[in-house]
Amino acid sequence: MHLQQEIIISHGTRLELLRPDVQTGKVSTVIATDVFGSIRSLAAFRLTGGTKDYAIVGSDSGRIVILDYDPKTSSFVKLHQETFGKSGARRIVPGQYLATDPKGRSVMISAMEKAKLVYILNRDAAANLTISSPLEAHKNAAIIHHIVGLDVGFENPMFAALEVDYTESDQDPTGEAFNNADKMLTYYELDLGLNHVVRKWSEPTDPRANLLVQVPGGRLASSDRYDGPSGVLVCCEDHIIYRHMDVPQHRVPIPRRKHPLGDPDRGLIIVAAVMHKMKGAFFFLLQSEDGDLYKVTIEHEEEDVKSLKIKYFDTVPVASSLCILKSGFLFVASEFGNHYLYQFQKLGDDDDEPEFSSTSYSSFGMEDPRAPLPHAYFRPHPLDNLVVADEFESLDPILDSKVLNVLPNSDAPQIFTACGRGARSTFRTLRHGLEVEESVSSDLPGIPNAVWTTKRKEDDPYDSYIILSFVNGTLVLSIGETIEEVQDTGFLSSAPTLAVQQIGADALLQVHPHGIRHVLADRRVNEWRVPEGKTIVSATTNKRQVVVALSSAELVYFELDLDGQLNEYQDRKAMGSTVLALSIGEVPEGRQRTPYLAVGCEDQTVRIISLDPESTLETISLQALTAPPSSICIADMLDASINKSQPTMFVNIGLQNGVLLRTVLDPINGQLTDTRTRFLGTRPIRLIRVQIQRNPAILALSSRSWLNYTHQNLMHFTPLIFENFDYAWSFSAELSPEGLIGIAGSTLRIFQIPKLGTKLKQDSIPLSYTPRKFITHPSNHYFYLIEGDHRVLGEDAASKRLNELRQQGKKIDDEVVNLPPEVFGRPKAPAGTWASCIRIIDPIEAKTVALIPLEGNEAAFSLAVVPFSARNSELHLVVGTAADTFISPRSCSSGFLRTYKFTDDGAGLELLHKTETDDVPLALMAFQGRLVAGVGKALRIYDIGKKKLLRKVENKTFSSAIVTLATQGSRIIVGDMQESIAFAVYKPPENRLLVFADDSQPRWITAMTMVDYNTVAAGDRFGNIFVNRLDSKVSEQVDDDPTGAGILHEKGVLMGAPHKTKMLTHFHVGDIVTSIHKVSLVAGGREVLLYTGLHGTVGILVPFISKEDVDFISTLEQHMRTEQSSLVGRDQLSWRGYYVPVKAVVDGDLCEAFARLPGTKQSSIAVFRASRARLATLPNRSLNYPTRSLITLKDHKYTAHATAKGQGRNGQVKSNGLELDLATPKELGGTGKGENPEQLFAMGYAGRMGKADSVKNAVVYTSVHIGEPKEMGGFGLAVDIKVEGVEEDVLKAGHEACPYSRALQHGVVTCQYLHSLAFSKSIWMALITDMKFRLNLDVSNDEALQSLSVNSLVSLARRAFRGPKSWTHSTSSSKPVVSRRHVLHIPNTRNHGAVLLAGGKYLLLRLPTTLECWSVLQDRRMWEYRPHVEWENYRIMRVAEEVTNGGNVVVLMICLNSSIATHFPLLHSVDAPTRPFAYEFFHPRICGDLAAVGMRFGEAILLINWRTGQNIELPAPSIVFDLDFIPGHLIVIEGNRGGGSTVLSIWSEACFAQFWRTGQQPQSQSSPPPLIRRNITVPFARNILQTQLSVNAHPFYDDKYLLWVFASSAIPNFLGRSGGSSIATSYNITLTGPACTMSLKQTNSLNLGQGFREIGWCGVSFSGHIMVSISMQPRRQNVILPLGQLSKYQNALDTFAKFPNAQQISAYSGALTYLRPEANTIVVEYYD
């Protein structure tokens, strides 16, 4: 029987099981699990006579653990856990080394010093594995270097150990005993009879021995022949020795490369080894530290060794472990970088490689054991005996990283990492998503609107047809050796197709707008036609069922009978609202039908309809949505987190706003539960059910394509890294049995997804040396990376040395010299020798742009991009280097700050000068137009000079090297190598650099980032992440001290700074943190802390703000600590608090394991949590009804209107002439002096009886009770009714027909839906999130939406719609209420123009020649942009911006002018062409792909398509006052200054189609007419000086916009006249239909009157709050006017909110931006 071999690997804190495929040679991950401990050793063993292996794990838990793999649950099972010592990585606690007896009878676990324990392994009567108590094999005062189990057959188990006794060395102060200490090879024997371990044999061996390798031995059970001679191979420096008790030793030299630059005095050691046994033979593969593999063989006769032989085999990456599989593969677990699976081509027996034998030396090489043997050499070569079968990606080690979104057409940031060591280093781009392999790409004759594939028969192995639907027809393609069009399929080709299905055993089905075609196997067609005047608008099918929705909002249901006939169900279901989407699941195996249909309607609901014969087309349940559905898909998918035994039925609902809802459909009662949401993109979602690796999956198409699939029994939802598709379907052909077919525009693509389960796709760029750090350019997409390797010859140094050898007449083997360094490494050099360079990388093209080597034995250690103020903020690259550097202790002959100037738009560097320093500059950073440098222990600020950098100020109070720097404002955060984080401040008046706060405990800092102005997150060298915060009062005190004198006079605390930071959180991540970033990983999402680790870890820390979330997740963590014990026996809480107790951090990795718990444990945790929190049992965001349906009215026969004013129950109500005063009843705490709603309801219900004669004598008594219900909180109603004078049957019939009774029994759609909207936080969350993405609503990240209450969310929406309350209600005695304030410290704010970009995250500063983008929350500059133009004397005059992608992307149009009167419209962030014009531009605007700007003094408009680079000059009939866009339309205000009419004109994009297409420019006579042209009534038309407009999208409707037109005749005083008048007019714009036709309706016209002098328009919000600039005493004021309420405040300016320094008003939040030049700050304020 053939047994599958797997590979178990450890990543330090994770265990993985890999399974190589013998046929394909590919490796797949079977399971990966966190162990919540540090794995120190790993070994496998098999009991004698057994057929399976077990794994033994040594860790820092103080326990030995034996694991088994359970293939049924795909998990590791802990069989035994035995405690032997304390937890933690300690010298004398075993766990560092493991050795097993080859026969599986015992195991030895050893510490690094003294302690060794032996456990006996056996079986009990039930054949279960047993483990004994430990037996000691300790040796005091002994350092253990390695242990191994000896192969002695079935004799007593024996172990070998390399030990050094340090007893004499401790007692000898001269050190002579240490130098003469012997390294002993000791044998320990386990006496199975006496159950005791004895030291059997001990002899000195080579003092540089480092590794032992087991040699086969022992007598075979089936014969008297021996497997081998037994004993061990002792791997020493430069030699391999065979040793065993009482037998001669054999020694051979380790061959070394014959390289002209090789150092003959350099020692060579073995770092990894593996032994492989074959029938009657065995061999060893040993690997040197250079990566060279050696094949070692032993010639022997029985137990007598004749010779030891060694030869070069191949070169592979340096491994931490090697594993040979019986299937002929070698797995190389690389020490750094990717792991590899190699396949043996041959065993190296018949090549010409020289072989070195012990018999070639006297006494088998042991004549003088302490004398070295002569060097043996070999000539390295490319792979010969091995071939690469698979590569297993690994990020280990990550040395630096950045998180940015630089790739085009990407809506999520990428993680850029510098990985690897030496010549195998790489620069990697990590993108979240699945890799896609494309096999076919073909252009189509048109643009399809859908695609399907289908088989002819149910049992066909592959698809037969591809069906493409177009607007006016259908195209059918056959799949064979070629793909070609076919006509005889029975499909209707003259109409578009809505659905295609292979139905029954051998028939096909086509649904088109006018009917259904059932194509039988003999090509006969049965057709069902739609009733006249109706069409099919949606359809869904499976192999036995068809449901179509008609344009009349009716559902028609068909089912296939046993004879293959498609039958229509007799009744049709009226939905009451237009059907937008349908879905039914696949028919379950062995069933006739699927029982449920999901219907999505225009009224923003999804209803579950029964297809069961007993209740066909009855509504079972309903779910309210936040937007109309665009697609629905029902799929049965396995998700072990919900049900481990069988698939779960999911209803996936795609909305038109790009949000996906996933709801569980109960297969028993059809109820919807457990709804979860995810934002997929900006386009309406299209869902397709597909097959991936023989399992059902769902493809979701939006502005990004996503795949929902099951992998390792868990649900995954991952984007595809591929072009966005418009339509897709599954595809199966011989060459692509599990492919997919997609449509992108007019291109058809066939592709497959090769590897599921991967979270990140990696793209690599090779590097020359080990990367150290890299940085981004603020205004282009290039990365600047420094590399450096110690003890390595650089390319220039190697070339120079080779030339010297050639001049000396030595022969050079060029073939060896030119071997690729990424495989064979670079020549080694003595300590203090460095190879280093600066590399410029283009991440978009994934290539190296330039490489600048460093000469003079310099190595780069730090870099920064600095905009030096002394050079007009011109950007420079400063690189910190050092010459002749030694690592420990750190020293150098000289340090340097190399200053480079950027050339070729950043693609090149020009060295300006070098500045010498006295130590290694390990940290650099730009700071207020200067350079901050951490040079050794000194913190310095440099400014740029002509010949070098000029030191301005210095602080030398740091105790060790400065390794990290960060800044905000005037504050500098310093990371000390050994003394944690310090806060420093620069005080320019006194030129002081002062440290005013630090940490209370020392830490070895490795990475750091600022969370906010007072908070810093950092990682240390021991795998901890912590967050420290400075007291805000101390922070304010330091900022308010202008000179720093107060800090100088404060007394230090604990021999440090006068103030200490407070630790907020602490968490042990188990990896050395190399970088931390505060980023948002999804557009508009919450910011998180993303960190990377040296071992390749990428992790995030997510902030929780809601106390409910904290309580929930903390409780779950407590349960998981109990239910999910560590695989290595480590206590999770002590592991996460390794050095400091864990604080305020929940272990997400542990909580994630909840999904893998058995269902019973999951249920017990959920029940406990529910009972503790007293959670409501109603499903989230779903409205479930046990009855048939909600009532939906066909029409409205009569409507009663009512209006309530005042304080609710104590207000007034009126309806159709009836007016009543309301009062709360005395029983509820009111006065009772008035009517109440219960009385009115009782009267209405009592008067509900009909007008027939049978009820003319009826008397109805009703009682309406109000009180607290039992089932839920709040208040409820109960109704008692008593009727006299009516027969019982008449009463019953009346009750069933009564609308009031129906409303009470069935519910009212409007009431139920509005109740859901009003009280469901999730719905308001979705609404606000939608507003953020559509409008870039100013909801900054510190205003965490999750933590807000429903009322707060409603207030946000109300603020966007109506504006801040405190503006509207401001009086002369009240001031606007500021709810939130952000202060940005901007150097020299004079001559700045500040614009808060939509979304509220970033501020755009317009300087005379540059643009700067500042983060509002972080108070730091994100980037600077300087227009790339040929002439120097230019100024930025005007800027237009459009913010997209949830506030994270901005497209800019910049209007420039120059001293030579040439003007440019320049579009930033895109490759749009520029062209000079001889006139100035005004009113630039951007919307989508279009940009527009006025020119020729208002006589023309320049239209630009910035994606294609085309432009059109549109003549204007009169002077253009202003212009703007709404999607697909251009809006222009034009007229004549000083007289004439003012006209509002609107063009659609289609008006200019012919000019875009032909490239011709419109002339005055051929200028396209506008769609709408309307005169604006202005009472002062003859004196118009300015007219402006503003367009804002409606917060709640996608198709509605509000247009404000503002006209003024104000006359400035400098003209010698005064007075004037202003008018504001608003219009509602509605876009309707697929062609986006427009309707325009004037809603308001407000004459602002003649009371405003020198009025200037500054902006208007959607709510109608206009900010105008008015000349008022004592100075000019900016005033907020609530246009909707001007009638109340006419000519009373003192009642309005005044904002003297305000620059801008935000469109939706009402945020104001202030410029304060005197304080060099810009303030952004939000108001209540």
Side-chain angles (χ1 to χ4, degrees), residues 87 259 599 624 756 812 834 846 889 895 1125 1280 1312 1371 1424 1662 1676:
S87 63
H259 196 286
V599 183
L756 297 179
I812 303 299
W834 289 80
S1125 61
D1280 294 337
Q1312 293 283 0
T1371 64
E1424 179 187 55
F1662 176 86
R1676 195 172 185 86

Side-chain angles (χ1 to χ4, degrees), residues 250 595 1532:
H250 290 252
V1532 177

Side-chain angles (χ1 to χ4, degrees), residues 207-515:
R208 300 305 298 270
N210 66 299
L211 189 68
L212 298 177
V213 184
Q214 172 196 113
V215 176
R219 194 187 302 269
L220 292 175
S222 57
S223 67
D224 293 336
R225 192 169 57 84
Y226 284 85
D227 248 354
S230 191
V232 293
L233 293 182
V234 183
C235 300
C236 318
E237 185 178 38
D238 294 330
H239 302 91
I240 306 295
I241 303 174
Y242 168 76
R243 295 282 323 248
H244 197 32
M245 287 188 304
D246 305 326
V247 298
Q249 302 180 43
H250 290 252
R251 184 169 66 149
V252 292
I254 300 175
R256 57 180 63 220
R257 296 179 184 177
K258 196 172 185 180
H259 196 286
L261 299 179
D263 181 3
D265 297 327
R266 173 176 163 264
L268 192 65
I269 63 172
I270 298 298
V271 295
V274 63
M275 183 271 295
H276 184 62
K277 293 173 68 173
M278 302 174 292
K279 279 190 177 181
F282 60 89
F283 68 89
F284 306 88
L285 285 183
L286 310 183
Q287 187 183 40
S288 72
E289 57 189 314
D290 293 333
D292 300 320
L293 285 176
Y294 305 99
K295 182 181 178 182
V296 176
T297 54
I298 297 177
E299 286 190 5
H300 66 99
E301 292 181 2
E302 299 298 338
E303 293 184 290
D304 184 18
V305 174
K306 299 299 181 182
S307 66
L308 176 66
K309 297 180 179 181
I310 187 171
K311 64 185 297 188
Y312 171 64
F313 190 73
D314 260 331
T315 299
V316 299
V318 178
S320 57
S321 182
L322 300 171
C323 178
I324 296 179
L325 305 179
K326 293 181 179 179
S327 51
F329 291 95
L330 169 68
F331 183 77
V332 176
S334 301
E335 186 178 18
F336 299 104
N338 294 349
H339 312 298
Y340 292 87
L341 184 70
Y342 295 91
Q343 188 169 17
F344 284 95
Q345 298 291 93
K346 52 184 180 178
L347 294 179
D349 295 329
D350 53 353
D351 54 23
D352 297 329
E353 285 295 330
E355 188 173 50
F356 305 92
S357 174
S358 60
T359 57
S360 302
Y361 306 94
S362 59
S363 301
F364 302 119
M366 296 302 295
E367 184 175 18
D368 184 359
R370 292 189 175 269
L373 294 175
H375 286 326
Y377 292 96
F378 69 91
R379 194 167 177 271
H381 57 69
L383 287 180
D384 182 35
N385 300 300
L386 299 171
V387 63
V388 176
D390 196 12
E391 187 174 1
F392 199 72
E393 289 180 329
S394 172
L395 296 171
D396 182 11
I398 299 177
L399 298 171
D400 196 10
S401 71
K402 296 288 184 291
V403 184
L404 296 166
N405 188 0
V406 300
L407 299 184
N409 302 321
S410 175
D411 57 357
Q414 301 85 47
I415 304 173
F416 298 92
T417 59
C419 306
R421 190 184 72 170
R424 294 186 63 234
S425 301
T426 56
F427 181 86
R428 304 197 186 191
T429 302
L430 311 182
R431 288 185 285 170
H432 178 222
L434 292 171
E435 185 176 3
V436 172
E437 290 182 356
E438 184 181 69
S439 53
V440 174
S441 178
S442 176
D443 291 331
L444 299 171
I447 300 178
N449 55 29
V451 63
W452 298 267
T453 59
T454 183
K455 302 175 181 179
R456 284 196 188 95
K457 299 179 180 180
E458 186 177 14
D459 55 359
D460 285 349
Y462 304 117
D463 291 326
S464 302
Y465 297 125
I466 299 174
I467 297 93
L468 299 169
S469 174
F470 296 86
V471 175
N472 55 357
T474 297
L475 178 66
V476 182
L477 306 175
S478 69
I479 305 173
E481 294 183 1
T482 61
I483 297 178
E484 55 188 14
E485 183 179 355
V486 289
Q487 303 288 346
D488 58 345
T489 58
F491 281 12
L492 182 65
S493 60
S494 60
T497 298
L498 300 177
V500 172
Q501 177 71 51
Q502 191 282 313
I503 194 164
D506 52 8
L508 297 177
L509 186 87
Q510 179 194 20
V511 182
H512 55 87
H514 302 290

Side-chain angles (χ1 to χ4, degrees), residues 815-869:
E815 188 175 343
V816 172
V817 170
N818 295 327
L819 286 172
E822 61 270 16
V823 177
F824 295 90
R826 298 186 182 276
K828 299 294 188 290
T833 305
W834 289 80
S836 186
C837 68
I838 305 171
R839 185 182 299 268
I840 305 177
I841 294 174
D842 184 344
I844 298 178
E845 299 293 333
K847 66 178 183 180
T848 295
V849 176
L851 189 70
I852 299 94
L854 299 182
E855 300 177 349
N857 200 27
E858 280 188 54
F861 294 94
S862 57
L863 78 168
V865 175
V866 185
F868 285 107
S869 299

Side-chain angles (χ1 to χ4, degrees), residues 771-1042:
R772 301 296 172 176
K773 294 180 181 178
F774 69 97
I775 197 170
T776 60
H777 195 287
S779 59
N780 64 40
H781 57 268
Y782 293 133
F783 288 137
Y784 301 87
L785 181 143
I786 54 174
E787 308 171 33
D789 272 331
H790 189 215
R791 294 177 178 262
V792 168
L793 282 179
E795 291 186 5
D796 292 342
S799 299
K800 184 178 179 181
R801 187 83 58 86
L802 288 172
N803 290 332
E804 292 175 356
L805 293 176
R806 288 189 178 97
Q807 292 174 1
Q808 295 172 10
K810 295 186 178 181
K811 187 177 180 180
I812 303 299
D813 189 341
D814 290 328
E815 188 175 343
V816 172
V817 170
N818 295 327
L819 286 172
E822 61 270 16
V823 177
F824 295 90
R826 298 186 182 276
K828 299 294 188 290
T833 305
W834 289 80
S836 186
C837 68
I838 305 171
R839 185 182 299 268
I840 305 177
I841 294 174
D842 184 344
I844 298 178
E845 299 293 333
K847 66 178 183 180
T848 295
V849 176
L851 189 70
I852 299 94
L854 299 182
E855 300 177 349
N857 200 27
E858 280 188 54
F861 294 94
S862 57
L863 78 168
V865 175
V866 185
F868 285 107
S869 299
R871 296 284 181 91
N872 296 322
S873 296
E874 181 183 357
L875 293 175
H876 294 75
L877 179 69
V878 182
V879 181
T881 66
D884 309 320
T885 308
F886 287 84
I887 300 297
S888 182
R890 187 184 71 255
S891 66
C892 65
S893 60
S894 180
F896 298 98
L897 295 174
R898 303 169 69 103
T899 306
Y900 290 90
K901 181 179 180 180
F902 291 105
T903 61
D904 299 331
D905 294 331
L909 296 174
E910 176 188 340
L911 179 64
L912 292 183
H913 47 63
K914 289 170 60 176
T915 305
E916 190 170 355
T917 62
D918 55 359
D919 206 336
V920 182
L922 294 177
L924 301 177
M925 180 186 65
F927 174 74
Q928 296 184 353
R930 294 179 174 181
L931 172 73
V932 173
V935 182
K937 301 179 182 179
L939 181 66
R940 299 171 181 169
I941 295 181
Y942 288 88
D943 207 345
I944 194 168
K946 290 185 178 180
K947 295 185 178 180
K948 67 176 184 177
L949 296 176
L950 308 176
R951 187 192 308 178
K952 295 297 183 181
V953 64
E954 180 180 42
N955 186 307
K956 303 182 77 172
T957 61
F958 297 93
S959 60
S960 59
I962 297 170
V963 292
T964 60
L965 293 169
T967 182
Q968 278 191 26
S970 61
R971 183 165 298 176
I972 301 172
I973 311 300
V974 182
D976 190 290
M977 182 180 285
Q978 299 180 17
E979 296 295 331
S980 194
I981 299 296
F983 283 66
V985 64
Y986 176 59
K987 298 297 182 180
E990 299 295 328
N991 195 32
R992 289 173 177 164
L993 189 57
L994 305 173
V995 176
F996 63 90
D998 59 12
D999 200 350
S1000 58
Q1001 55 183 330
R1003 292 178 182 271
W1004 293 60
I1005 298 300
T1006 57
M1008 172 260 291
T1009 190
M1010 294 188 73
V1011 179
D1012 58 35
Y1013 193 56
N1014 297 326
T1015 312
V1016 61
D1020 65 25
R1021 194 170 291 183
F1022 301 101
N1024 302 304
I1025 285 183
F1026 62 94
V1027 177
N1028 279 13
R1029 175 167 289 168
L1030 178 69
D1031 187 275
S1032 59
K1033 293 182 180 179
V1034 174
S1035 177
E1036 293 172 1
Q1037 174 186 335
V1038 171
D1039 287 346
D1040 293 340
D1041 184 355

